[in-house]
Amino acid sequence: MNEPSFFELTVSRMLAQVDALASERPEPLCLIGSSLGGYLAALFAAARPERVACLALLAPAFDLASRWSARMGEPLLQQWRAQGSFEFDHHALKRKERLSSRFLEDAALHAANPMPRAPTLMVQGLLDQTVPPELAREQERRMRAAGLPVKLVELDEGHELTADLPGLWRLLETHFAGVLDAPRAAPQ
């Protein structure tokens, strides 16, 4: 999702990239996303329900814009806006990279808590210090109240959810198999 550059990253651009990839396949997709990717998958599924059969969201970064703003604080936000960019840790590259202030402006244009209709598994670490577990609990509550299919699994782990990868994989397999093996309603 960093193409063409991390500097130019926006939620809107990432959604367009997912849309382009999804359009290459005629059947509905199962999406897996972690952190920002989980939030993005939920946004895409809410906007394009006909394109998504099921979701697995790992520590999804709901309420992205307001949480990011609160975490930075007003002085750093003003600096980011004034400079037009700010350096952030890029976890994949393991170094700091500049990100345009358009990222946060664009993120604020998107729903803080998208409501996907596809069967959704959320996996959240109870020790997560990046995405508070309360966000996943609130999302589950909202989805259940709206009658949407959701399951939340909380693990005694941090944000990365890597302490038991075979166990995580079993959760994902079970979720996807339950959705994909279920009888489908005939088109009307």
Side-chain angles (χ1 to χ4, degrees):
M1 298 291 120
N2 286 329
E3 298 301 325
S5 72
F6 180 72
F7 177 81
E8 299 171 83
L9 186 71
T10 65
V11 173
S12 293
R13 189 188 79 200
M14 290 186 291
L15 284 170
Q17 288 172 301
V18 173
D19 197 32
L21 290 169
S23 69
E24 295 174 8
R25 311 216 26 117
E27 67 278 352
L29 306 171
C30 289
L31 299 177
I32 302 172
S34 177
S35 195
L36 176 58
Y39 172 63
L40 183 69
L43 278 172
F44 181 79
R48 301 289 305 271
E50 74 285 356
R51 298 298 302 132
V52 180
C54 55
L55 291 170
L57 311 177
L58 311 177
F62 294 120
D63 199 18
L64 178 69
S66 67
R67 282 187 320 99
W68 197 317
S69 295
R71 194 167 82 193
M72 284 190 76
E74 195 55 40
L76 286 179
L77 282 173
Q78 287 178 7
Q79 182 182 348
W80 190 10
R81 289 180 187 117
Q83 293 175 180
S85 69
F86 200 83
E87 285 195 342
F88 292 96
D89 291 326
H90 191 294
H91 297 287
L93 298 177
K94 299 190 185 325
R95 66 177 186 241
K96 292 205 177 281
E97 287 285 318
R98 288 183 330 116
L99 179 62
S100 169
S101 58
R102 288 195 51 237
F103 175 81
L104 195 57
E105 294 165 8
D106 180 77
L109 301 175
H110 297 277
N113 294 88
M115 301 293 281
R117 292 188 297 208
T120 301
L121 170 67
M122 287 189 294
V123 182
Q124 178 65 50
L126 292 171
L127 307 175
D128 193 331
Q129 296 188 11
T130 304
V131 175
E134 295 76 28
L135 290 174
R137 291 181 194 133
E138 176 62 18
Q139 182 71 12
E140 179 193 35
R141 186 195 67 69
R142 288 172 188 241
M143 289 180 71
R144 284 197 188 285
L148 299 172
V150 62
K151 178 180 180 181
L152 173 61
V153 175
E154 295 180 322
L155 303 175
D156 199 24
E157 297 189 43
H159 187 64
E160 293 76 20
L161 299 170
T162 56
D164 179 13
L165 289 175
L168 179 61
W169 186 251
R170 283 189 298 276
L171 280 172
L172 297 174
E173 277 185 321
T174 300
H175 174 64
F176 291 139
V179 172
L180 298 175
D181 294 341
R184 302 192 201 295
Q188 297 183 13

